[in-house]
Amino acid sequence: MKNIDALGHLSGQSKYLDDLPVEEHCLHAYVVTSPHANGVLKSLDKSMALKIEGVLGILTADDIPGENQIGAIIKDEPLFAEKHVHFIGQPIAMVVAKDKRSAKLAAKAVILNIKADTAVTDPLIAYKKGDLIMPPRTFQQGDTAIAWEKCAHIIEGKTESPGQEHLYLEAQGAYALPGENGKIFIYSSTQGPTAVQRIVARILNLPMHKIEVDVTRLGGGFGGKEDQATPWAAMAALASLKFRKGVKLVLDRDQDMMMTGKRHPYTSYFKIGLDTSLKIKAFEADYYQNAGAAADLSPAIVERTLFHSTGSYFIPNVRVTAYSCRTNLPPNTAFRGFGAPQAFFVIESAIRMAAEKIGVQAEAIQKENLIDEDQSFPFGQITEAARAKESWNLLSTEFQLENKIEEIKVFNQNNTWIKKGYATFPICFGISFTNTMMNHSRALVHIYSDGSVGISTAAVEMGQGVNTKMIQIAAKSLSIKPERIRIETANTSRVANTSPTAASSAIDLNGHAVRIACKALLNRLLSFGAKSLGVEDSDLKLVHEQVFSKGEITPYNWKKLVGGAFEARCQLSEVGHYATPNIFFDKSKEKGHPFAYHVYGNALSIVELDCLRGTYKTDSVSIVHDFGKSLNTAIDRGQVEGALLQGMGWLTMEDLRFDKKGRLLSNALSTYKIPDIHSAPGEVKLVFLPNPGTSSAIFQSKAIGEPPFMYGMASFFALIEAIRSFNPKFRYDGIAPLTPEKVLMALYKG
Ligand code: MTE
Ligand code: LUZ
Ligand code: MOS
């Protein structure tokens, strides 16, 4: 089935928040932000700003009727700063005006008196000062202390993985409208409608039922709108309540880049030990996560880092510790992979450095240690249907790995100024929110009397194709044509108490809920049909919109069945509820079974490096991916290609820079380079790993949103190898990103 949004997107007819028609006297808000990364807010002078034409008011923390607090996991983040400011771009106040231009002008005229203090941007400094978001956490299995003695090779090192700007095409925004009896209606560009509802209720001191949040779709979220869409919605709602008008707040791109958090940069230390046959015997790591100025989702993200510390490998002795460090940067947040890419960076860097020191190829170590059936992760979960080895083997046969490696060797011998490099990159990603309680969802399915179907779920469409897949699931469950089905907006009044569309789990969680609701409806319809035909319920079957009784055609087709059931006063609506079975986690022991299943795969990236200029391109990326039984191969391929490019961008192009004072320097697309069509690999070859289908994935179609991000990391390690083949003195230093500038320096480093 084609993505139902394809035509709308291409023809510009798809509606985003900023396209929605606003009411006639709609007001506009603009945020006043801190110019200092750390300091004491002495005073705020509104008088000049209030004189600007069109300005209705300037709201601060004093205007909040409820709690000035937006922290979801830890209550450590005010909506508007009160006495202290903690990062550049932190909201202090909000101007409300008749138009955006006046609001912006007035925001600049607000005079802030801030006594600035020194800023901390380095997580290690924060750690030394004891400035942690939460107490450190450690996962372990076996005993590393004993294991080191059995290792023939022990390698220690340090790595630094960078931050990453989400750069969703649609900037953050919200539009709030006052309703009857103190109700507030909010259109929000959020991945988490319930999160917005809950926090707005807290800020406004209203019960949640007075807040209705509605989401049509996002122009991308990538995790950046899992938690950080909330403040703008809260501000718009606050102003709307105060002025009794519609209020719109949409961030400009530069504001969005300055104010919102990004992927967490990590500084990590590791120690890895191998025996003579290259088996990894022990692994230790300390991860220092740069959390920024508030907790946001950092505790959950650093936890996912621990869950993925061993990458795609089985390591019998592990001890890994996570430190979430509070710095004076915007609070960093969810970004595709959610801490797992940072973990993969450390273990794969450790393997590269070990290979360098031992004098073997990295893939020899990778291959030797792939996790197998019935082996344990450091958090106690035992693998079921592990597919790491199958992915590896299929990649090497399908893409003739040995031949490719030989070709590259020959190419490098024959070329002086152009060098090729390659890297394999096996992935293993756990599916489920690591917080067990978040793994449930509901779907509301209405069958209308004309046979058309309307479905509401918690899932937010953000380009990943969830709406198309929901239609496929419903069509399959009801055995009707997809054209009869419509997916409604994600709305808190129709589907309540939902988890955000995140953790790659929206299709599983909401898909199962849709399936359950549809099954109940179908059973009810068939039961009506059986009664009216005078046969047993179990005699009837609906196949492609036609009802059969023990294989014989009946007078009932879908439309007649629905029409008849309606006249017989049957309930044609249903709520399906799904909670992922068999998952749990005991934090006091740091052991459990947090994931419904894992997604596996392997990638081979081949890059070509111009050793005069330091520029490079990825020739090809060959991937074997464990899709299960893909519900939609076109959408799933799109997810792999998009995630791949985003992963490549993270480690080889994007260069997020803050100065020592915590000011974002790469604050526009002229200074922050993201991948484009020219940086895309020459070729992306994708093989679907044949899968027997043993998982709780919806119709055996495994989650696809985040796991392929890690394939992009292969290009970084391929570049390392290309540099090495030009400069024999080069030693991998564990620092990303490798921009052309850094590559050039590495090529000529003595
Ligand atoms: N694809 C597009 N086009 N746009 C996005 O914002 N977000 C990614 C991924 N794919 C994203 C995307 C992230 S971070 C997640 S968690 C999943 O989609 C969420 O959707 P799913 O759970 O429906 O896969
Ligand atoms: N969000 C979350 C996530 O709250 N918990 C998770 O485990 C998670 N994983 C990936 C992406 N977002
Ligand atoms: Mo994705 S980082 O779970 O929104």
Side-chain angles (χ1 to χ4, degrees):
M1 184 179 165
K2 268 194 195 147
N3 189 324
I4 54 160
D5 277 336
L7 194 63
H9 285 2
L10 281 174
S11 59
Q13 292 175 81
S14 299
K15 291 263 185 271
Y16 297 87
L17 184 123
D18 211 16
D19 303 323
L20 297 172
V22 291
E23 51 157 36
E24 201 181 346
H25 299 292
C26 170
L27 303 177
H28 295 264
Y30 204 92
V31 188
V32 179
T33 60
S34 173
H36 295 289
N38 191 16
V40 180
L41 180 60
K42 297 263 189 198
S43 66
L44 180 152
D45 181 357
K46 308 177 184 176
S47 56
M48 293 285 287
L50 282 171
K51 285 186 195 141
I52 289 174
E53 172 146 358
V55 173
L56 275 85
I58 296 169
L59 306 185
T60 65
D62 294 340
D63 297 286
I64 293 174
E67 216 182 322
N68 179 23
Q69 183 50 247
I70 61 170
I73 298 180
I74 299 173
K75 285 189 168 187
D76 68 348
E77 189 177 0
L79 180 66
F80 291 123
E82 291 182 45
K83 285 203 180 65
H84 295 273
V85 290
H86 298 292
F87 64 93
I88 292 177
Q90 182 175 3
I92 296 176
M94 163 181 58
V95 180
V96 185
K98 287 185 174 148
D99 60 282
K100 189 169 174 180
R101 212 170 149 263
S102 313
K104 188 171 178 173
L105 214 61
K108 302 224 151 89
V110 172
I111 298 163
L112 299 169
N113 179 3
I114 296 172
K115 186 171 177 293
D117 204 343
T118 48
V120 173
T121 57
D122 180 344
L124 292 180
I125 294 175
Y127 169 73
K128 278 176 200 137
K129 289 174 67 178
D131 232 343
L132 295 183
I133 297 281
M134 57 172 206
R137 284 177 70 182
T138 299
F139 283 15
Q140 53 186 327
Q141 80 177 346
D143 191 334
T144 48
I146 298 172
W148 298 124
E149 290 164 21
K150 296 183 203 131
C151 295
H153 314 280
I154 295 176
I155 296 93
E156 292 183 67
K158 178 184 178 187
T159 65
E160 281 175 37
S161 63
Q164 184 176 26
E165 163 63 43
H166 299 85
L167 227 91
Y168 24 69
L169 282 179
E170 180 201 22
Q172 301 271 5
Y175 173 46
L177 286 161
E180 260 187 12
N181 303 323
K183 180 164 174 169
I184 304 271
F185 189 93
I186 305 168
Y187 292 101
S188 166
S189 179
T190 179
Q191 291 173 236
T194 291
V196 169
Q197 180 193 27
R198 187 184 296 125
I199 301 292
V200 173
R202 188 197 284 170
I203 298 273
L204 299 184
N205 195 23
L206 290 174
M208 281 169 77
H209 70 206
K210 283 203 169 170
I211 315 291
E212 181 174 347
V213 180
D214 192 273
V215 188
T216 303
R217 65 161 59 73
L218 314 186
F222 305 111
K225 296 169 183 171
E226 182 172 336
D227 213 43
Q228 298 206 354
T230 302
W232 333 113
M235 289 176 199
L238 178 66
S240 165
L241 193 69
K242 168 123 185 158
F243 297 102
R244 306 250 146 240
K245 291 231 164 62
V247 177
K248 193 164 161 179
L249 172 51
V250 175
L251 299 188
D252 294 337
R253 175 65 62 185
D254 57 345
Q255 255 191 323
D256 187 311
M257 290 178 83
M258 174 187 63
M259 294 163 78
T260 64
K262 297 149 206 329
R263 183 185 296 286
H264 294 74
Y266 276 47
T267 301
S268 310
Y269 294 89
F270 70 83
K271 183 173 174 186
I272 191 169
L274 300 88
D275 68 11
T276 48
S277 59
L278 300 182
K279 280 256 185 276
I280 304 173
K281 286 285 160 197
F283 178 66
E284 287 182 351
D286 287 316
Y287 305 99
Y288 296 89
Q289 179 196 45
N290 191 335
D296 191 90
L297 294 166
S298 299
I301 291 163
V302 87
E303 180 186 52
R304 191 172 271 275
T305 303
L306 294 175
F307 282 120
H308 291 81
S309 56
T310 50
S312 305
Y313 310 107
F314 170 69
I315 307 178
N317 303 288
V318 178
R319 186 184 163 84
V320 286
T321 303
Y323 303 92
S324 182
C325 310
R326 195 186 297 275
T327 61
N328 296 111
L329 297 182
N332 285 317
T333 194
F335 195 146
R336 209 171 197 167
F338 205 76
Q342 289 93 327
F344 272 82
F345 187 75
V346 178
I347 184 74
E348 291 298 334
S349 292
I351 288 174
R352 283 288 137 182
M353 290 185 197
E356 193 172 82
K357 186 151 175 219
I358 301 169
V360 296
Q361 289 300 318
E363 63 273 15
I365 301 177
Q366 291 175 323
K367 189 180 170 189
E368 198 55 42
N369 293 284
L370 293 170
I371 197 158
D372 207 349
E373 205 56 13
D374 293 320
Q375 288 186 321
S376 63
F377 292 101
F379 47 92
Q381 183 158 345
I382 308 293
T383 54
E384 296 152 72
R387 317 217 47 89
K389 292 198 167 168
E390 283 92 334
S391 303
W392 184 282
N393 294 340
L394 192 58
L395 186 99
S396 48
T397 52
E398 193 78 16
F399 300 112
Q400 301 178 314
L401 185 59
E402 299 303 322
N403 291 353
K404 283 263 163 59
I405 294 173
E406 196 50 40
E407 277 171 32
I408 290 169
K409 235 193 221 154
V410 173
F411 180 93
N412 285 345
Q413 278 160 6
N414 296 337
N415 288 275
T416 310
W417 298 110
I418 307 257
K419 296 290 182 189
K420 287 189 193 268
Y422 71 94
T424 42
F425 205 96
I427 69 157
C428 167
F429 190 88
I431 301 300
S432 289
F433 287 96
T434 56
N435 182 1
T436 300
M437 70 143 290
M438 292 172 80
N439 296 284
H440 61 118
S441 194
R442 280 148 302 284
L444 171 65
V445 180
H446 296 312
I447 300 175
Y448 293 96
S449 55
D450 65 353
S452 65
V453 176
I455 298 180
S456 300
T457 74
V460 169
E461 175 60 59
M462 48 185 174
Q464 86 279 40
V466 65
N467 284 358
T468 304
K469 287 187 175 176
M470 291 305 118
I471 290 179
Q472 288 184 279
I473 291 161
K476 199 168 156 143
S477 304
L478 293 170
S479 200
I480 62 173
K481 288 186 276 193
E483 299 84 77
R484 292 200 191 276
I485 305 163
R486 192 187 133 78
I487 303 298
E488 305 295 347
T489 58
N491 179 296
T492 54
S493 296
R494 272 179 272 118
V495 181
N497 305 322
T498 61
S499 294
T501 292
S504 305
S505 298
I507 295 158
D508 274 351
L509 293 175
N510 296 286
H512 276 298
V514 167
R515 176 185 59 78
I516 289 164
C518 288
K519 270 279 158 292
L521 284 166
L522 183 61
N523 286 342
R524 195 174 302 145
L525 286 171
L526 290 178
S527 178
F528 151 77
K531 213 189 223 165
S532 104
L533 292 168
V535 298
E536 295 292 316
D537 285 16
S538 57
D539 293 345
L540 292 195
K541 247 206 168 92
L542 184 80
V543 184
H544 298 313
E545 305 210 340
Q546 177 60 49
V547 179
F548 294 88
S549 176
K550 289 188 171 164
E552 297 288 313
I553 200 154
T554 73
Y556 280 124
N557 62 17
W558 170 257
K559 274 191 88 151
K560 284 186 187 147
L561 187 68
V562 169
F566 174 65
E567 282 172 23
R569 300 186 294 169
C570 283
Q571 152 75 312
L572 294 180
S573 297
E574 186 70 29
V575 176
H577 169 83
Y578 179 75
T580 312
N582 309 323
I583 51 170
F584 66 94
F585 194 70
D586 181 348
K587 271 197 183 181
S588 69
K589 298 194 177 76
E590 301 288 28
K591 296 281 178 197
H593 189 290
F595 298 118
Y597 56 89
H598 280 80
V599 171
Y600 298 87
N602 194 12
L604 166 68
S605 171
I606 300 177
V607 302
E608 190 180 291
L609 174 60
D610 178 334
C611 301
L612 279 175
R613 297 175 182 82
T615 54
Y616 44 81
K617 62 182 206 294
T618 298
D619 278 354
S620 67
V621 182
S622 308
I623 297 169
V624 171
H625 187 80
D626 164 32
F627 292 89
K629 294 193 167 68
S630 173
L631 259 179
N632 190 314
T633 52
I635 286 176
D636 285 357
R637 179 183 292 272
Q639 285 292 293
V640 171
E641 291 177 355
L644 168 72
L645 209 56
Q646 211 165 27
M648 286 169 55
W650 177 43
L651 294 184
T652 70
M653 302 186 70
E654 299 175 42
D655 195 3
L656 190 68
R657 299 266 188 107
F658 291 90
D659 69 12
K660 287 253 175 325
K661 290 182 170 167
R663 180 176 305 281
L664 179 66
L665 300 174
S666 49
N667 66 348
L669 281 158
S670 52
T671 47
Y672 189 77
K673 178 81 188 98
I674 64 158
D676 56 25
I677 193 66
H678 303 289
S679 20
E683 209 177 356
V684 179
K685 290 180 264 188
L686 185 58
V687 170
F688 288 62
L689 182 74
N691 198 305
T694 45
S695 72
S696 58
I698 178 73
F699 291 132
Q700 325 283 356
S701 180
K702 284 189 165 187
I704 189 67
E706 296 168 285
F709 180 91
M710 261 78 67
Y711 294 137
M713 300 171 68
S715 287
F716 172 86
F717 291 102
L719 257 179
I720 297 282
E721 297 307 322
I723 297 168
R724 198 196 299 289
S725 66
F726 179 82
N727 179 3
K729 292 195 190 122
F730 168 77
R731 295 286 170 270
Y732 171 45
D733 64 2
I735 299 175
L738 267 179
T739 54
E741 183 185 2
K742 291 201 196 131
V743 170
L744 193 64
M745 291 194 281
L747 283 167
Y748 295 96
K749 199 168 164 183

